[in-house]
Amino acid sequence: MPRENDMSDTTTPNTVADATSVPVIVPPPLAASLQRAANANAAPETAPLLAVSQSDADSPKLFRQGQIQSCLVSTIVHLIALLIFAIVTYSASQVSPTMISLWGRQVEPTATVTLEVAKDHSELENQLSSDAEKPVDVTIAQSDASAIQSPLIMESQSAILESSELGQIKAGSTAASSAQLIRLPGGGLSGRTPQGRKELGEKYGATAQSEAAVEAALQWLALHQRPNGSWSFNLDVDPCNGRCRHSRISGDSPTPSTGATGLALLAFLGAGHTHHTGEHSETVRRGIYYLRGIASESEHGLDWQSGSMYSHGIVLMALGEALTMTRVDDKYDSDLMDLVRRGSYFTSVAQHYNGSWGYVPGSPGDTTLTGWQVMSLLAAKRNGIHFRGNELPMAKEFLMSVKEETDWTFGYKTPQGEPTMDAIALTLLLYLGHAPGHTLFDQAIDRIADRGPTLTNVYHDYYASLALHHTRHRDWDKFNSKLRDHLVRSQATQGHESGSWHFKDKWGDVGGRLYTTAMSAMILEIYYRYLPLYDKIEEFPL
């Protein structure tokens, strides 16, 4: 059957289908003018391109019938296609773009599975020591006393304990008082007032003799302030001019005047003297003025190193405490605020990536240097000063890196335990949020109490006193009375040395008599210098 517009070159152009065959769809005849033009241009011997039978040309009726039938077929086909398209479109519009279809088949019933939402473990992250000023609400169930659980918030204890800790927990804690402690808004300086010294001194173990020793020490320090407002570990310079024995020993360790000045100021501030109030206000003012003038400008803030990060940390700690103590109705001394803010930024940048601080900014450090930097940043943080935010967590990581794997003893730079490092590290961890109640931590505090004060190494005895004071250890009275009475008895009472101390010790020899005197005074101020971080529940009824 010829197709529509078929242009076959058949040799029988006059043959057409009869009337009963399927009609051939042919194009309409050309207009007469176009037909004549086509015939004129065609070669005589060539057959016409479009051959139309004579019978079809003479039968207009048949031609019209073919047109009608082809139109009907086309119309029906297009109508069916439109209906199919409409049905598909309508079905697609009824399905949401986000709908998910699930197909399944019925099977044997299985056990019911309940899905639970995983707990957010962010609450278990360590809280930094800025929370030390915030009270913790404690609720104690009204039940048998033996069933009462420890009310402590375990702020820094990991949910996964070391295997060695599990056995200790099963055996029970040796820290009998830890379950009776409550976290206080402690660590603050509000006890440094005449009334606070009296009340807290009586409560925590001061005596009239120990308070007299503090006053004598401050008087000796005031008499050894240099004309420019500074102090020096070298007692051969004015105003002492060598009249006191046991000046610093010259050696490789730098002993700059910035460190000596900061240490002396800490002793005055601990007893409540500031540049605004107290008998020694002028002495304190001159010391702060000296530190302001000698600060070195750097691209990372103010620098008081003068050769050692020890000095920078001690100075920043002193200025931070002075800023807190002179705050009035949340208003700060603007000059001091600027010094502390810029100094703390330098401390932040100087930290090594392992979390410690060294003698040189950015170098790996040790536990003793890190201790001063942490305490100085805490003093800045107490005034609402913010830094990069990860300095204190990094410092805690460093401390844990120098901890013995199976025991809570700490080393200088490596996990090789040493009593002075234990006292420093445990004190810092308390400030960094590690609460009593952890068995091995409590046992480490117990060891400090059991060893007792060294009576010669004031560096150890200073930090050991802080650790036991902040945890309100059950053996505090025994430890304190031994150390307190020793300091009262051993204080010089004659000549130019009157009011000072010096003990033969590797650290004491480096700093000499001025270092030993300032540290000893701060030990005897322990009762009111810082409010304890923890105290017994019965002393704070709910």
Side-chain angles (χ1 to χ4, degrees):
M1 179 177 63
R3 294 172 296 176
E4 179 179 331
N5 296 337
D6 191 322
M7 293 184 288
S8 174
D9 54 351
T10 179
T11 58
T12 58
N14 293 326
T15 303
V16 293
D18 56 36
T20 61
S21 63
V22 178
V24 178
I25 301 175
V26 296
L30 292 172
S33 59
L34 294 177
Q35 184 65 52
R36 286 193 298 269
N39 292 337
N41 294 330
E45 67 277 6
T46 304
L49 292 177
L50 296 175
V52 181
S53 68
Q54 185 65 31
S55 60
D56 284 344
D58 294 337
S59 305
K61 181 177 180 181
L62 179 61
F63 183 79
R64 288 194 300 271
Q65 289 177 348
Q67 279 187 318
I68 293 172
Q69 290 183 16
S70 63
C71 289
L72 287 174
V73 172
S74 177
T75 301
I76 292 171
V77 170
H78 283 82
L79 180 60
I80 293 172
L82 287 172
L83 289 173
I84 294 174
F85 181 78
I87 292 172
V88 172
T89 304
Y90 177 79
S91 300
S93 65
Q94 302 305 308
V95 181
S96 171
T98 59
M99 182 179 295
I100 299 176
S101 298
L102 298 178
W103 295 85
R105 59 189 178 87
Q106 185 173 0
V107 296
E108 293 298 323
T110 59
T112 302
V113 178
T114 303
L115 301 180
E116 297 181 356
V117 178
K119 296 181 179 180
D120 182 5
H121 291 279
S122 61
E123 296 179 358
L124 299 179
E125 295 177 353
N126 296 335
Q127 296 184 14
L128 302 181
S129 57
S130 60
D131 291 339
E133 304 290 345
K134 301 178 181 178
V136 174
D137 295 328
V138 177
T139 302
I140 300 179
Q142 298 298 321
S143 59
D144 182 75
S146 62
I148 296 178
Q149 301 297 318
S150 171
L152 292 176
I153 303 297
M154 302 305 296
E155 298 177 69
S156 60
Q157 181 176 344
S158 171
I160 301 176
L161 300 178
E162 300 175 6
S163 59
S164 61
E165 296 172 350
L166 296 176
Q168 295 290 343
I169 290 175
K170 292 179 181 178
S173 172
T174 61
S177 62
S178 63
Q180 304 172 3
L181 295 178
I182 181 174
R183 180 69 180 263
L184 300 177
L189 315 183
S190 60
R192 301 180 182 191
T193 63
Q195 186 65 20
R197 288 182 65 175
K198 181 177 184 301
E199 293 180 357
L200 296 177
E202 292 176 353
K203 181 177 182 179
Y204 294 128
T207 63
Q209 292 79 8
S210 68
E211 283 294 276
V214 170
E215 294 304 317
L218 297 181
Q219 186 64 29
W220 183 89
L221 289 170
L223 291 174
H224 283 74
Q225 186 177 31
R226 307 195 68 197
N228 63 357
S230 70
W231 279 265
S232 176
F233 293 113
N234 182 9
L235 300 180
D236 292 333
V237 299
D238 61 344
C240 185
N241 294 315
R243 286 179 288 175
C244 291
R245 297 167 298 167
H246 306 110
S247 179
R248 69 173 177 85
I249 295 178
S250 300
D252 296 334
S253 298
T255 53
S257 61
T258 51
T261 302
L263 203 60
L265 287 177
L266 283 172
F268 285 104
L269 294 166
H273 300 277
T274 73
H275 52 298
H276 293 321
T277 60
E279 175 187 349
H280 298 286
S281 59
E282 181 61 19
T283 300
V284 175
R285 188 195 66 79
R286 291 173 59 214
I288 292 176
Y289 187 82
Y290 168 78
L291 293 176
R292 184 179 69 176
I294 201 173
S296 297
E297 291 279 357
S298 78
E299 60 179 327
H300 300 299
L302 294 180
D303 172 13
W304 285 286
Q305 289 182 85
S306 296
S308 172
M309 279 298 293
Y310 270 116
S311 297
H312 180 83
I314 293 171
V315 168
L316 182 60
M317 182 178 173
L319 295 179
E321 291 193 357
L323 180 61
T324 300
M325 294 174 66
T326 54
R327 179 180 61 195
V328 178
D329 297 331
D330 294 328
K331 294 181 180 179
Y332 293 89
D333 183 310
S334 59
D335 290 339
L336 266 181
M337 175 63 81
D338 182 64
L339 294 177
V340 176
R341 181 184 289 111
R342 296 166 68 193
S344 62
Y345 182 64
F346 185 89
T347 302
S348 174
V349 174
Q351 186 178 27
H352 187 259
Y353 63 82
N354 72 358
S356 68
W357 281 267
Y359 280 93
V360 178
S363 64
D366 57 68
T367 302
T368 59
L369 268 163
T370 299
W372 289 109
Q373 313 310 318
V374 168
M375 294 300 288
S376 70
L377 288 180
L378 292 174
K381 199 174 185 70
R382 191 180 288 116
N383 295 292
I385 294 174
H386 302 285
F387 11 95
R388 293 180 297 177
N390 61 344
E391 292 85 352
L392 297 180
M394 286 174 61
K396 185 173 183 179
E397 289 181 7
F398 167 74
L399 293 173
M400 299 306 286
S401 74
V402 297
K403 178 180 76 70
E404 289 277 3
E405 183 177 353
T406 59
D407 200 357
W408 281 70
T409 59
F410 299 81
Y412 181 66
K413 289 186 176 181
T414 61
Q416 187 174 356
E418 198 274 323
T420 299
M421 303 305 114
D422 290 349
I424 296 171
L426 293 171
T427 298
L428 296 180
L429 288 174
L430 285 168
Y431 275 103
L432 295 174
H434 199 105
H438 182 290
T439 303
L440 297 181
F441 182 86
D442 292 343
Q443 291 176 352
I445 299 290
D446 290 344
R447 285 195 295 271
I448 291 178
D450 293 341
R451 283 194 297 259
T454 67
L455 304 182
T456 56
N457 180 355
V458 293
Y459 206 25
H460 168 277
D461 292 350
Y462 168 74
Y463 277 106
S465 297
L466 283 176
L468 299 180
H469 169 71
H470 280 313
T471 57
R472 305 311 308 143
H473 195 275
R474 62 180 180 274
D475 291 333
W476 164 252
D477 289 338
K478 178 181 177 181
F479 182 96
N480 170 63
S481 60
K482 183 177 181 179
L483 179 57
R484 176 199 64 205
D485 295 346
H486 165 74
L487 291 176
V488 169
R489 289 193 304 267
S490 58
Q491 187 178 33
T493 59
Q494 300 295 323
H496 205 256
E497 295 177 354
S498 179
S500 65
W501 290 271
H502 180 265
F503 306 108
K504 185 65 179 175
D505 175 75
K506 61 179 180 180
W507 281 294
D509 287 342
V510 173
R513 184 172 294 273
L514 185 134
Y515 156 81
T516 307
T517 300
M519 294 292 289
S520 297
M522 287 191 285
I523 292 173
L524 292 177
E525 296 166 355
I526 189 72
Y527 320 105
Y528 44 79
R529 187 162 174 258
Y530 295 118
L531 298 182
L533 292 172
Y534 297 87
D535 214 332
K536 295 180 181 180
I537 294 176
E538 58 265 29
E539 297 184 12
F540 293 87
L542 302 178

